[in-house]
């Protein structure tokens, strides 16, 4: 979640703010995608639909054939796994 100050910048000047944001290094992206690929299928698919394809959680749940609550729980578990795994790389 972005801080409110950061949100205000994005709302007012999205292009200018984007220029100041550092893009992740290719190695970091590679590590993230490797971690995503190691997720269980049910979690990985939701991560992809939600973050890469831009589906809302309700839409992603429908595509996956699960309830909204189940999709929310799976996405939460996926985030937790990724956070835990990527902390190892961060130091």
């Amino acid at each position: 979640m972005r801080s409110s100050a950061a949100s205000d910048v994005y709302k007012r000047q999205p292009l200018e703010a984007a220029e100041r944001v550092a893009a992740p290094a290719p190695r970091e992206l590679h590590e993230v995608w490797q971690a995503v690929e190691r997720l269980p299928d049910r979690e990985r698919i939701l991560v992809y639909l939600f973050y890469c394809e831009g589906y809302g959680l309700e839409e992603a749940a429908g595509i996956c054939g699960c309830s909204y609550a189940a999709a929310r729980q799976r996405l939460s578990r996926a985030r937790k796994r990724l956070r835990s795994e990527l902390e190892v790389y961060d130091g």
Side-chain angles (χ1 to χ4, degrees):
M1 178 182 261
R2 285 188 246 162
S3 70
S4 61
S7 302
D8 293 342
V9 171
Y10 286 105
K11 288 177 187 174
R12 286 184 277 135
Q13 302 169 343
L15 294 177
E16 292 83 2
E19 291 172 356
R20 291 189 301 267
V21 175
R27 180 174 179 214
E28 292 171 347
L29 283 176
H30 182 70
E31 291 167 355
V32 170
W33 280 112
Q34 283 183 329
V36 169
E37 288 172 357
R38 287 189 291 271
L39 289 172
D41 289 345
R42 296 177 351 168
E43 293 174 11
R44 186 179 66 249
I45 291 167
L46 276 168
V47 166
Y48 179 78
L49 291 171
F50 188 78
Y51 288 107
C52 298
E53 294 295 325
Y55 285 99
L57 196 50
E58 193 167 332
E59 294 171 307
I63 292 169
C64 292
C66 65
S67 69
Y68 175 85
R72 187 178 64 211
Q73 181 64 37
R74 290 176 190 171
L75 193 57
S76 176
R77 286 183 188 143
R79 288 181 188 130
K80 186 176 181 177
R81 287 180 207 265
L82 291 170
R83 194 175 306 118
S84 174
E85 188 168 335
L86 293 171
E87 282 177 355
V88 171
Y89 291 107
D90 195 27

